[in-house]
Each structure stands twice: as C-alpha cells, then as structure tokens.
Amino acid sequence: LLNDGIASAVIVTGLDRLFGDEVDTLTVTRAWDTRGIGLHMLDMGGIALDTSSPMGRLFFSIGAAFAAFRRAQIQEKVKAAFQHLKATGQRGGGVAPYGYDLAPDPARHGKLVSLVPNPVEFPWLQKIREWRTSGRSLPDIAAQLTRDEAPTKKPGGKWHPATVSRIDKLDQTHAYGVENTRIGSGGAR
C-alpha cells in the first residue's frame, strides 16, 4: 500500500516492533519522509513525529536507540532463560521429538518439561535406530515405516526420507535414552 501510494501513514505500537535495527529504522523513515509518509507511534500517544525537522529527527533517533536497546534486552532475557532451562534440565516448550511425549513435572508445578517415552512411537524409534546402525538408507527406512503403517507425529502423516533423517539427527544429537528421559540430566535434551 505504501509503494502504491494508497496509504499515507504507518501506525505502529512501537519502533522495536517495526524495524530490525537503528540503521534500518533511520534509513526507512528517511525514505518515508521524502515520500510524505507519516509515522504514528502508539507507545508515544499516537502522535505523528515530524522527522523532517532537525528536532524531530533528534527525538526520533533517540527513540530508535531506545527501541534497539529494548530489543537487545529482550533477546538477552530470552537467551538467559533458555540457558537456565538447559542448565537445570528443563524443556522450554515446542514439540516432543518422535518417540517421546512431554509430561508434567510435579516439581515444576505441572509444567510440561520432561520427556517420557511414547508407548506407541518409542518402539518405532528403536527400530529406526537399529536400521540406521545396520546401514539401511533413509528412503528404505521411510518405505519400511510406511509399509508397516508406523505412526507419525501428525495423524495421517506420511513417512519421507527427510523425516527419518530429522529423527535420526535429533536422536544422535540429543542421545535420547530410555533409562533417563529427564531433559539435561544425561538422557534426552
């Protein structure tokens, strides 16, 4: 809409939600200024900031620096949270790998942070391990799983060599094990 000249303004909750970094912020908004496109920021009361004037550009540049600072703080907090989860043997979420389910951990107030073997998928995971160890190819394993009607994570899903490869790589990378499936404690990660 901006490129077609249909819209004459951009309304955004905050600069940190619109641009990737300070350089991008300043470059894009300067181009908008030359085309007469206004920017309204809701976190500043929805006011339009005249970035074509020196004073407006100064305030906007300071706002862009604070937005970059805020983005960096958020990234730092997220990274620290994931490091903490990994260090304390917890799972941050996502989908359980093939052969496992996420289970509530009473010590973590019922949050889904532990992996437990899925009784239907786990035997198939063991077969995939055996077949890969014996040298069977990914297409051959996928075809065998399809013939044997092995369950997939998605109901009605089909087995493809790429799927078997992902399962195999995750299994090798994280060394999922039956004896200890608590994440980060020497078993699954």
Side-chain angles (χ1 to χ4, degrees):
L1 296 175
L2 290 174
N3 291 335
D4 296 337
I6 297 171
S8 61
V10 174
I11 301 171
V12 64
T13 55
L15 289 177
D16 60 322
R17 309 298 296 171
L18 185 61
F19 299 104
D21 59 29
E22 310 92 315
V23 174
D24 189 34
T25 303
L26 299 173
T27 304
V28 171
T29 55
R30 191 169 302 270
W32 288 350
D33 283 344
T34 61
R35 294 172 43 206
I37 297 170
L39 177 62
H40 298 266
M41 294 170 285
L42 298 179
D43 63 349
M44 294 182 73
I47 62 167
L49 189 60
D50 178 14
T51 55
S52 63
S53 72
M55 187 62 73
R57 201 75 185 156
L58 171 66
F59 281 111
F60 185 75
S61 298
I62 292 169
F66 276 113
F69 174 68
R70 182 172 174 207
R71 268 191 309 274
Q73 277 188 315
I74 291 169
Q75 290 171 346
E76 194 174 76
K77 287 178 183 179
V78 168
K79 184 177 179 182
F82 278 112
Q83 287 174 341
H84 172 74
L85 289 175
K86 186 175 182 181
T88 57
Q90 300 171 46
R91 184 174 179 86
V95 178
Y98 188 81
Y100 294 89
D101 289 322
L102 295 174
D105 186 345
R108 301 289 304 153
H109 308 292
K111 292 182 182 176
L112 299 177
V113 294
S114 293
L115 291 177
V116 295
N118 176 302
V120 175
E121 296 173 354
F122 196 80
W124 290 103
L125 176 60
Q126 290 176 309
K127 285 185 180 185
I128 292 170
R129 288 176 184 159
E130 291 168 15
W131 292 335
R132 287 299 289 155
T133 303
S134 71
R136 287 182 74 174
S137 70
L138 297 172
D140 184 39
I141 293 172
Q144 184 71 51
L145 291 167
T146 300
R147 280 192 302 275
D148 292 345
E149 297 180 0
T152 60
K153 277 287 183 192
K154 296 179 183 175
K158 296 183 179 182
W159 285 99
H160 301 281
T163 306
V164 176
S165 176
R166 274 192 305 276
I167 290 169
D168 185 47
K169 285 179 185 170
L170 274 173
D171 194 47
Q172 290 177 19
T173 303
H174 299 298
Y176 297 114
V178 185
E179 66 287 342
N180 191 352
T181 56
R182 172 126 175 125
I183 302 169
S185 57
R189 294 188 220 296

